[in-house]
């Protein structure tokens, strides 16, 4: 049986650095020969392909539209697919790491992004938080705190956490 993927959510308010860190981690994990999938929550319901043929097909009423080229495939679905199904699709496509930006209320493990002390109430709102990424020095916390500038340490932390979890699941001692 294949190992379950590392699944991590990145949650925080707008402009807290989530996309920047996820982008850096994708590059880092890919360089370490991981297959990385990314899921992004669009809280504003933007129309991603406006003006394109795929948009015209969707406007005509097609609930499922795919576009394929020599090097990529895109899939549009006129329905909100539950996060769990998107994660399962990523896993089925071979992702061994799935990074999720947003979806604050989902139940996956999370890193919370704090840009200023005004963002600290976020920590009381999110479940399954395993670490904090901060722009500012924070008072001591129960969770590990990472500087927004230290994406390598964040990546190592995530891989170590996943390895510990896999070892515990297999009954191995660490």
């Amino acid at each position: 049986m294949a190992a379950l993927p590392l699944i991590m959510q990145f949650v925080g308010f707008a402009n807290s650095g989530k996309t920047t860190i996820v982008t850096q981690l994708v590059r880092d994990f890919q360089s370490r020969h991981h297959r990385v999938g990314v899921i992004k929550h669009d809280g504003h319901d933007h129309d991603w392909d406006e003006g394109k043929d795929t948009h015209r097909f969707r406007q005509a009423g097609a609930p499922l539209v795919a576009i394929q080229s020599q090097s990529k495939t895109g899939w549009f679905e006129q329905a909100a697919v539950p996060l769990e199904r998107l994660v399962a699709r990523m896993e089925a496509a071979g992702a061994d790491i799935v990074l999720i930006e947003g979806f604050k209320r989902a139940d996956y493990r999370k890193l919370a992004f704090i840009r200023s002390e005004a963002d600290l109430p976020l920590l009381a709102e999110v479940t399954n938080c395993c670490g904090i990424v901060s722009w500012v020095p924070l008072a001591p916390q129960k969770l590990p705190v990472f500087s927004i500038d230290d994406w390598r340490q964040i990546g190592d932390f995530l891989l170590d956490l996943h390895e510990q979890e896999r070892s515990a699941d297999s009954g191995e001692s660490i």
Side-chain angles (χ1 to χ4, degrees), residues 6 14 17 30 54 110 135 155 158:
L6 161 60
Q30 287 289 133
T54 51
K110 297 171 186 70
W135 290 64
L158 297 180

Side-chain angles (χ1 to χ4, degrees), residues 149-162:
D149 298 318
D150 204 352
W151 58 268
R152 277 194 179 94
Q153 186 180 9
I154 295 167
D156 290 343
F157 169 76
L158 297 180
L159 292 175
D160 289 346
L161 187 66
H162 187 57

Side-chain angles (χ1 to χ4, degrees), residues 14-75:
N15 298 314
S16 61
K18 301 179 302 290
T19 300
T20 299
I21 293 294
V22 169
T23 302
Q24 290 167 323
L25 290 176
V26 167
R27 287 186 189 114
D28 180 45
F29 292 152
Q30 287 289 133
S31 75
R32 298 185 201 203
H33 308 290
H34 291 283
R35 184 166 165 89
V36 181
V38 178
I39 301 170
K40 166 111 171 99
H41 182 253
D42 176 8
H44 305 289
D45 203 19
H46 290 292
D47 201 348
W48 308 309
D49 61 339
E50 191 167 346
K52 302 294 185 186
D53 292 345
T54 51
H55 176 74
R56 292 177 56 203
F57 302 146
R58 290 187 311 110
Q59 291 299 106
L64 302 169
V65 176
I67 184 170
Q68 186 265 352
S69 74
Q70 222 173 5
S71 62
K72 59 186 175 272
T73 300
W75 182 271

Side-chain angles (χ1 to χ4, degrees), residues 15 39 74 80 117 124 127 145 172:
N15 298 314
I39 301 170
E117 288 190 16
T127 59
V145 178
E172 298 173 20

